[in-house]
């Protein structure tokens, strides 16, 4: 019987790079670049609510490490599920690892033991690890105090949700890179009439791109109204 493919990222989306990240805390990008390049041995704990850019920065660090000639790997812990042991073993041989979503391991003793043992092996092998989580170590509800202690020793970068100005900057940047024409009035209308969730806005922008190409129309307020009324957003 064939073994299901493990959820390891081998390619990193061009939209998710350091230069496309909006609203990083002071010094955060420089710190992550140093980690990616091997100029820093810091282990990083990226923490923030959903849609604050944790996955973006984890993937950007892997992409930068690859460009620097290193061997990165990205693992979404939710996708690893009950196969966490297999997934972590598959990471051997890499020197920069991003483990995304600690909340999907927290509270499950067997998974925590597996992660704790991985953490210790990675330290001993001089591997650099980037963790992401929606909560700090003390708020995760971890069963193993030793794992909580290890995670608390990582350098922490806290990400905050973007305000309307920041979300607008992200959409402008994505629009320009896609070659979309969207004036300020249209962008303002979109931001004030759709949700605050950034990932949802970016997904909507991708759909609008497809719709405008299919209709051969610019993205205007009337066009936005029609798409949203038709349930495309």
């Amino acid at each position: 019987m064939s073994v299901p493919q493990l959820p390891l990222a081998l390619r990193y989306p061009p939209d998710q790079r350091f230069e496309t990240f909006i609203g990083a805390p002071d010094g955060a990008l420089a710190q992550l670049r140093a980690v990616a390049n091997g100029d820093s041995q810091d282990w990083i704990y990226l923490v923030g609510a959903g849609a604050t850019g944790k996955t973006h920065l984890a993937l950007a660090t892997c992409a930068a490490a690859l460009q620097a000639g290193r061997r990165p790997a990205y693992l979404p812990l939710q996708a690893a599920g009950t196969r966490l042991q297999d997934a972590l073993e598959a990471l051997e041989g890499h020197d920069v690892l991003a483990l995304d979503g600690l909340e999907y391991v927290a509270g499950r003793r067997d998974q925590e033991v597996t992660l704790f043992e991985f953490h210790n092996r990675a330290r001993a092998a001089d591997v650099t690890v980037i963790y992401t989580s929606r909560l700090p170590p003390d708020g995760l509800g971890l069963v193993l105090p030793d794992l909580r202690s290890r995670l608390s020793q990582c350098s922490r970068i806290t990400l905050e949700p973007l305000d309307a100005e920041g979300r607008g900057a992200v959409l402008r940047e994505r629009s320009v890179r896609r070659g979309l024409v969207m004036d300020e009035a249209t962008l303002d209308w979109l931001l004030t009439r759709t949700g605050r969730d950034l990932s949802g806005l970016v997904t909507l922008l991708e759909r609008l791109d497809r719709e405008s190409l299919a209709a051969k129309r610019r993205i205007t307020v009337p066009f936005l109204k029609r798409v949203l009324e038709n349930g495309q957003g």
Side-chain angles (χ1 to χ4, degrees):
M1 182 174 64
S2 63
V3 178
Q5 186 175 0
L6 291 167
L8 305 177
L10 302 178
R11 296 184 179 88
Y12 305 106
D15 281 351
Q16 293 172 312
R17 296 288 192 270
F18 290 138
E19 57 267 25
T20 63
F21 193 85
I22 304 294
D26 290 344
L29 296 185
Q31 184 178 11
L32 289 169
R33 282 196 180 96
V35 167
N37 293 334
D39 297 329
S40 169
Q41 300 303 312
D42 285 350
W43 282 33
I44 305 296
Y45 191 104
L46 286 167
V47 60
T52 51
K54 300 184 298 295
T55 296
H56 183 142
L57 289 179
L59 289 169
T61 304
C62 288
L66 185 63
Q67 188 174 15
R70 306 186 74 197
R71 294 161 298 174
Y74 165 84
L75 175 66
L77 293 173
Q78 182 181 22
T82 58
R83 301 189 62 219
L84 181 61
Q85 179 72 49
D86 294 335
L88 292 175
E89 287 179 359
L91 298 176
E92 291 187 11
H94 297 81
D95 49 20
V96 180
L97 305 177
L99 273 56
D100 194 0
L102 284 172
E103 60 271 14
Y104 296 107
V105 173
R108 302 163 65 183
R109 184 177 180 83
D110 57 336
Q111 302 286 66
E112 289 189 26
V113 169
T114 296
L115 185 62
F116 176 73
E117 292 174 346
F118 155 81
H119 184 106
N120 291 337
R121 289 196 307 272
R123 277 289 189 193
D126 290 327
V127 174
T128 299
V129 178
I130 299 99
Y131 292 111
T132 84
S133 176
R134 294 188 177 192
L135 295 166
D138 289 344
L140 273 173
L142 294 167
V143 176
L144 294 182
D146 286 344
L147 177 59
R148 182 169 61 249
S149 175
R150 296 290 194 281
L151 295 174
S152 297
Q153 293 168 7
C154 297
S155 296
R156 195 174 307 181
I157 297 175
T158 301
L159 303 178
E160 301 292 345
L162 290 175
D163 57 16
E165 182 178 351
R167 295 196 303 276
V170 170
L171 292 184
R172 286 187 195 91
E173 191 272 337
R174 296 288 177 95
S175 297
V176 168
R177 217 147 15 87
R178 286 176 171 272
L180 296 177
V181 178
M182 189 183 307
D183 60 29
E184 288 298 313
T186 302
L187 183 63
D188 289 343
W189 191 94
L190 179 62
L191 288 169
T192 56
R193 286 166 176 79
T194 55
R196 293 175 56 85
D197 179 69
L198 182 59
S199 61
L201 285 171
V202 171
T203 298
L204 175 57
L205 183 64
E206 293 170 352
R207 292 178 178 176
L208 290 171
D209 188 7
R210 294 194 297 269
E211 288 286 315
S212 65
L213 286 173
K216 297 181 179 178
R217 289 186 55 184
R218 294 175 59 233
I219 298 179
T220 61
V221 171
F223 181 79
L224 281 174
K225 289 179 179 179
R226 181 178 68 79
V227 171
L228 293 176
E229 287 171 358
N230 289 339
Q232 296 299 318

